[in-house]
Amino acid sequence: MNSVTVSDPGGKAGPAGRWRPREALLAAVRGLALAVVGLPGSIILFVVTVVSIVLIVAGVGVLTTPAVLTALRAYANQRRLLAATWSDVRIPVPYRPFPPDLRTGITGQVERCTLMLKDPATWRDLRWLVVDVTGGFVTALFTAALLIYPVEGFVLAVGLWRVFVDDAYWYTFVPVDSQSTALAAAAVGLVLFGAGLRYCPDLLRLHFRLTAALLAPAPGQALAERIERLTETRHDAVDNSAAELRRIERDLHDGAQARLVAVGMDLGTVEALIERDPAKAKELISKARQSSADALTELRDLVRGIHPPVLAERGLGDAVRELALRLPLPLEPEVDVELPGRPDAPVESAAYFAVSEALTNVVKHAGADRIWIDISHSGGMLRIAITDNGRGGAEIGRGSGLSGLERRLGTFDGILAVSSPAGGPTMVTMELPCVLS
């Protein structure tokens, strides 16, 4: 199971009960944005989704429902992202992956539609849309109103109350019909404004906790999906290990072993020629020396492919810098590393080879001449971002190298995110849970 894990650039909200004017004002603006944009967005998506599902009976919905549900998932994922970014509320992304052998054409559309409708997460998304236009709208709007509504009380005290002098105007529970009652309204507004400065971030978090309660899977289902995920990653780890052993055996057989056999044969010939043809023996010795040097180079390359010495000796940062220097690019990649310690060896190795695989994809497919690599650690997560100025259009799936990269990270409960609009730039973000020593 993946989850959205984005650190809040605006800083943490801090413990409840503290005065947080900046966070409160920001929470009010965000709450207003959620209410204004979320209400029509959720209503439109709900209506379109329901109509599309109903039209499945007529056959048309089979073609439209996958696209509509994909849009719904993107909308829900955007809310997950905002929950993590704005209020540090983590909401799992439990959508079932499509099988890699999913067919294309009409048959593929029918299969995709069936799989998406069988996914419990689809119906949780629909249920969330209903609540988002009711309880979600109210909690978001109340977050904004707690700081906006007091302004009316202040304006009434300044003199606006005179507009309503003929008819009593109620501000909360205060009938405003004179300067004294207008000042009373301002006092109520001041109390509300103070409450907003103190509790607006908590109200916004309440909105996202309501979202999490609806979008997150039930505990039992989450456990089942976790077990399924662990089973899948275990199979991937076993398959990757077997493939790696086959690669090592093939490289040894075709490379160093063949050269060492040739050296042995040359030395046997030298033994027979050393007395009757010293010049020929000397030539064969030189050839054997070169073959042994080539075998040693191949063995070193093989060892570097298993576990690079620079990774073991100097850590992930220096190993990635050395990797970047070997890339065939006109401009040297920019590598920024902020690691106060070293991850465990298995995580460090997985991160290194994931970076290597991602850089190989960039060189082969992106057509980029600039690469930026950022490595950091926070919140128990090792985060690696690789950005290039290539042509873009990279996607996870469809047999791309990114799918293998996702499986490699999945073995360690890692997350892969790709942002690659057509025309670029492309940003590949990898996160691995780990502690530093």
Side-chain angles (χ1 to χ4, degrees):
M1 180 187 301
N2 294 336
S3 60
V4 177
T5 54
V6 183
S7 60
D8 185 354
K12 293 190 179 298
R18 284 180 50 189
W19 293 92
R20 296 159 283 167
R22 177 181 174 275
E23 289 86 349
L25 292 172
L26 196 57
V29 173
R30 289 168 170 173
L32 184 61
L34 286 170
V36 172
V37 177
L39 180 64
S42 296
I43 291 175
I44 292 171
L45 262 178
F46 180 79
V47 172
V48 171
T49 303
V50 171
V51 170
S52 181
I53 293 175
V54 170
L55 288 177
I56 290 177
V57 180
V60 179
V62 174
L63 302 178
T64 60
T65 299
V68 171
L69 291 180
T70 299
L72 172 57
R73 291 183 175 190
Y75 183 72
N77 282 337
Q78 180 62 29
R79 192 63 62 90
R80 289 182 174 96
L81 181 63
L82 295 179
T85 305
W86 289 356
S87 292
D88 201 29
V89 175
R90 314 288 168 157
I91 307 176
V93 183
Y95 302 118
R96 292 175 179 174
F98 294 117
D101 57 348
L102 193 65
R103 287 175 285 187
T104 58
I106 300 297
T107 304
Q109 283 289 93
V110 173
E111 291 180 352
R112 185 181 296 269
C113 181
T114 303
L115 290 171
M116 297 181 86
L117 290 177
K118 286 182 177 180
D119 190 344
T122 297
W123 304 103
R124 284 197 297 269
D125 288 351
L126 272 176
R127 181 184 61 184
W128 165 68
L129 288 179
V130 174
V131 177
D132 192 53
V133 301
T134 52
F137 173 76
V138 170
T139 53
L141 187 62
F142 189 66
T143 302
L146 205 55
L147 286 186
I148 296 174
Y149 186 55
V151 176
E152 183 182 350
F154 303 149
V155 175
L156 286 170
V158 170
L160 184 65
W161 68 271
R162 298 181 186 278
V163 177
F164 309 105
V165 68
D166 294 331
D167 299 304
Y169 179 84
W170 289 85
Y171 180 80
T172 62
F173 54 85
V174 179
V176 181
D177 53 10
S178 64
Q179 186 61 44
S180 59
T181 54
L183 290 175
V188 173
L190 186 62
V191 172
L192 293 176
F193 192 77
L197 290 178
R198 192 163 186 174
Y199 296 112
C200 269
D202 300 315
L203 289 172
L204 185 65
R205 189 174 298 108
L206 176 63
H207 168 86
F208 287 121
R209 290 197 182 280
L210 177 63
T211 302
L214 294 161
L215 288 181
Q221 184 179 354
L223 179 60
E225 291 175 352
R226 174 67 174 162
I227 293 173
E228 182 180 352
R229 174 68 173 166
L230 289 174
T231 302
E232 180 185 342
T233 55
R234 184 188 66 184
H235 290 161
D236 287 340
V238 171
D239 292 343
N240 290 338
S241 177
E244 187 70 9
L245 284 175
R246 289 194 298 270
R247 181 189 69 82
I248 293 172
E249 291 174 353
R250 183 179 64 252
D251 290 348
L252 284 173
H253 182 271
D254 297 342
Q257 178 179 326
R259 292 188 183 278
L260 291 175
V261 169
V263 169
M265 295 175 62
D266 289 341
L267 290 177
T269 306
V270 168
E271 187 179 9
L273 295 175
I274 194 166
E275 292 185 356
R276 58 187 177 85
D277 193 349
K280 183 66 175 178
K282 185 177 181 180
E283 180 183 341
L284 289 175
I285 289 174
S286 176
K287 181 180 176 182
R289 184 186 298 113
Q290 183 60 44
S291 295
S292 66
D294 292 341
L296 181 60
T297 300
E298 290 182 358
L299 286 172
R300 284 173 175 167
D301 291 340
L302 184 62
V303 170
R304 187 180 291 111
I306 299 172
H307 194 77
V310 66
L311 179 63
E313 296 169 5
R314 300 169 60 183
L316 180 62
D318 287 338
V320 169
R321 288 191 182 98
E322 183 191 60
L323 192 64
L325 289 174
R326 297 203 304 264
L327 294 177
L329 294 173
L331 296 174
E332 181 180 320
E334 297 181 20
V335 183
D336 183 20
V337 180
E338 295 183 9
L339 293 178
R342 293 186 61 172
D344 292 338
V347 174
E348 191 174 56
S349 179
Y352 172 84
F353 286 109
V355 172
S356 176
E357 192 171 339
L359 292 177
T360 300
N361 288 338
V362 172
V363 172
K364 284 185 177 180
H365 307 296
D369 58 13
R370 296 284 311 268
I371 296 178
W372 297 265
I373 305 172
D374 296 289
I375 304 176
S376 60
H377 183 275
S378 63
M381 300 292 289
L382 175 66
R383 186 176 187 273
I384 304 171
I386 301 173
T387 308
D388 68 76
N389 64 345
R391 63 177 63 95
E395 290 184 61
I396 301 176
R398 298 185 180 180
S400 70
L402 292 173
S403 299
L405 186 57
E406 186 179 39
R407 289 193 296 272
R408 181 189 293 275
L409 296 175
T411 305
F412 295 87
D413 280 346
I415 300 168
L416 175 68
V418 178
S419 173
S420 183
T426 295
M427 183 175 185
V428 176
T429 304
M430 297 171 274
E431 291 189 351
L432 285 163
C434 69
V435 294
L436 301 183
S437 58

